[in-house]
Amino acid sequence: MKDILIVLDSLSTGGLEKTLIDLCNNIDYTKYNVDVYLFNDGRDLVPQLNSNANLLPDSPYYSMVYNQSVFKSVKMLLKQKRLDLAFYRIYRFLKVRLGKKGFSHKEWRFQKKTMLKIDKQYDVAIGFAERTSCYYVADCVNANVKNMWIHTDIKKIGTNRILDTMAFERADNICTVSQNSKKSLEELYPQYKDKIKVFTLPSLFDFENIDCLADESNEMDKNTKCIVSVGRLVPLKGFHLCVEPCKRLVDEGYNIKWYICGDGPQRKSLEELIKQNNMEEHFILLGNKSNPYTYINSADVCVQPSSYEGLSLVIYEEKYFKKPIVCTGIKSNLEMIAHGKNGLIVERNKESIYKAVKYLLDNPEMMEKLGNMPALNYVEKQTTINELEKTF
């Protein structure tokens, strides 16, 4: 039996987190013992974690340093006689107030002090997300094989090149989720080109469970055409670009409601935008949903206007339910959607989104045609599992 450690910040509701659930459901527990370490808050999906996987204790100090107000944090740390971390918490507070961004190598030295110290020797350790998860596996874990996972376009996020290099140098495999993400990694870190591998993680979906969840009831209005978008409420997802198209369609007499599954820091500004356009009855923020499948299954059209993605898992999910998709022409989307074949590719602006949704509403036969065509480049589950096990 091999011992495997998987490290991720949390199991909140989200595509990356659901991917970890799917991975754990596809591990052969007659061959592997699995520990899962979550260093940050967020446990929404823990009840879905495979019962054979062992969830390690929470970090002793991470939440104190990163998830509390500065006054409360310092008070708690001083009580624990952690003067070093109390000093670091004050430093972080001042850094934010001064508008300084980025994450330095010096800060990593403090951050890793807040995390769990694991003395166990593992056969395989997996940092299941870019940045901290990878840094922790590289710097703090004893393992014969170390695999680092990058789920995004690394050029689009603010990683620390020194820390990335440290992690990738110690990695045996650098795993990513799309050809576009692979290309970005190779361009930024050409010295590690031979370590980089692409895996089609949506093939690990538990389709039987997804079908059961899809049949659950929901609050969507069945007497309207329902448009659904899924993702965190952050600018890169582009949901702020959808309110005005929704208003234009409603004003033109289309009987529609547009639902957003997800939550995040942009919620307040979206609510204000919805109110300004008098769209409270038509543009509906559902919040986080542990079961988004019932909403996707009830949709007539799905819209995903992201500015970038490593790989949009939700597009795979929407294609599984045979939905016509409107999405932006980012490179990772083009690996799944071909314009006019299984979806519509649009420019990332209100006018393009409006025209595409209007076209589908006016052409139900095209909605059906595009919906029935699957995602491109799908890989069978067993093929992905076999390739994953090779990295072990």
Side-chain angles (χ1 to χ4, degrees):
M1 295 275 287
K2 286 189 174 183
D3 292 321
I4 299 177
L5 172 68
I6 304 175
V7 179
L8 187 62
D9 58 340
S10 71
L11 275 177
S12 299
T13 303
L16 171 59
E17 293 81 358
K18 286 191 291 183
T19 300
L20 176 58
I21 297 293
D22 292 329
L23 173 62
C24 288
N25 283 337
N26 283 280
I27 288 175
D28 185 347
Y29 290 95
T30 66
K31 296 163 61 176
Y32 305 106
N33 296 312
V34 178
D35 288 343
V36 176
Y37 170 43
L38 308 174
F39 56 84
N40 203 352
D41 292 346
R43 298 292 185 270
D44 296 338
L45 298 184
V46 165
Q48 298 180 29
L49 184 65
N50 192 293
S51 60
N52 292 295
N54 173 44
L55 186 61
L56 296 180
D58 289 350
S59 308
Y61 298 109
Y62 193 96
S63 185
M64 288 187 201
V65 172
Y66 291 96
N67 300 323
Q68 307 291 341
S69 67
V70 63
F71 177 79
K72 186 175 181 179
S73 175
V74 170
K75 184 178 179 180
M76 293 168 70
L77 292 166
L78 290 176
K79 190 174 181 180
Q80 296 288 328
K81 299 182 180 179
R82 292 304 305 263
L83 298 179
D84 54 340
L85 296 180
F87 167 79
Y88 173 56
R89 181 64 185 90
I90 295 170
Y91 165 80
R92 286 189 64 247
F93 172 76
L94 295 174
K95 179 182 176 182
V96 171
R97 281 301 181 92
L98 293 172
K100 295 183 178 180
K101 299 181 179 180
F103 184 76
S104 68
H105 190 270
K106 178 180 178 181
E107 286 179 86
W108 168 240
R109 294 206 312 269
F110 281 102
Q111 186 178 65
K112 66 184 179 182
K113 291 181 181 181
T114 71
M115 302 174 77
L116 195 65
K117 289 181 171 55
I118 303 175
D119 296 327
K120 184 174 179 178
Q121 175 72 34
Y122 288 94
D123 295 289
V124 184
I126 301 170
F128 201 61
E130 51 280 348
R131 299 175 175 145
T132 301
S133 296
C134 288
Y135 304 157
Y136 178 81
V137 164
D139 210 18
C140 305
V141 175
N142 295 315
N144 298 329
V145 174
K146 296 185 177 185
N147 292 343
M148 311 302 176
W149 279 84
I150 309 299
H151 291 262
T152 188
D153 183 338
I154 201 164
K155 284 185 173 181
K156 302 290 187 180
I157 61 174
T159 59
N160 182 293
R161 295 287 292 273
I162 294 173
L163 289 170
D164 282 352
T165 301
M166 176 274 294
F168 296 158
E169 183 67 31
R170 299 176 187 179
D172 294 277
N173 301 284
I174 303 168
C175 308
T176 192
V177 294
S178 68
Q179 292 299 327
N180 179 59
S181 294
K182 179 177 185 284
K183 183 180 178 182
S184 290
L185 279 164
E186 289 174 344
E187 289 175 354
L188 280 183
Y189 301 102
Q191 66 271 40
Y192 304 119
K193 184 176 181 178
D194 292 341
K195 295 183 180 183
I196 302 171
K197 299 173 173 63
V198 177
F199 293 92
T200 308
L201 290 180
S203 64
L204 300 181
F205 287 165
D206 183 348
F207 294 108
E208 185 175 340
N209 182 51
I210 286 173
D211 286 337
C212 291
L213 292 170
D215 289 335
E216 292 184 0
S217 61
N218 61 59
E219 65 270 42
M220 291 169 67
D221 187 346
K222 305 303 187 292
N223 297 315
T224 67
K225 289 294 184 182
C226 294
I227 303 165
V228 170
S229 302
V230 180
R232 290 192 71 225
L233 303 187
V234 291
L236 74 89
K237 297 296 184 181
F239 301 140
H240 58 289
L241 300 173
C242 299
V243 180
E244 186 176 306
C246 180
K247 176 177 172 54
R248 289 178 66 181
L249 291 166
V250 170
D251 289 347
E252 290 171 13
Y254 289 89
N255 183 23
I256 65 168
K257 289 193 176 181
W258 199 314
Y259 297 89
I260 310 290
C261 285
D263 214 336
Q266 199 184 18
R267 185 182 184 100
K268 185 176 181 181
S269 62
L270 277 173
E271 287 174 340
E272 292 173 355
L273 187 60
I274 293 165
K275 187 175 181 179
Q276 289 169 10
N277 285 274
N278 297 314
M279 284 290 101
E280 292 93 336
E281 298 298 318
H282 296 275
F283 200 94
I284 299 158
L285 305 180
L286 295 167
N288 277 335
K289 295 292 181 181
S290 59
N291 174 17
Y293 304 114
T294 178
Y295 300 96
I296 296 172
N297 192 38
S298 299
D300 294 289
V301 178
C302 293
V303 180
Q304 300 298 145
S306 297
S307 60
Y308 71 89
E309 299 275 359
L311 184 76
S312 178
L313 297 177
V314 71
I315 286 181
Y316 267 100
E317 293 166 339
E318 290 164 351
K319 289 312 302 178
Y320 174 71
F321 288 109
K322 297 184 177 181
K323 301 302 174 181
I325 292 174
V326 175
C327 65
T328 42
I330 57 177
K331 292 179 180 178
S332 58
N333 284 351
L334 297 178
E335 294 179 33
M336 298 177 285
I337 301 297
H339 182 68
K341 181 178 179 181
N342 61 352
L344 297 180
I345 301 295
V346 298
E347 294 181 17
R348 194 174 184 265
N349 59 58
K350 300 170 187 177
E351 184 68 19
S352 293
I353 295 168
Y354 159 76
K355 286 181 177 179
V357 175
K358 179 181 173 68
Y359 173 75
L360 291 175
L361 294 173
D362 288 342
N363 294 276
E365 71 287 350
M366 182 58 73
M367 288 175 63
E368 183 177 2
K369 175 188 172 182
L370 297 179
N372 284 331
M373 294 301 293
L376 307 177
N377 301 320
Y378 184 76
V379 178
E380 291 297 323
K381 177 183 288 191
Q382 194 57 51
T383 300
T384 300
I385 292 171
N386 293 341
E387 292 301 312
L388 281 170
E389 287 196 341
K390 286 180 184 178
T391 72
F392 296 171

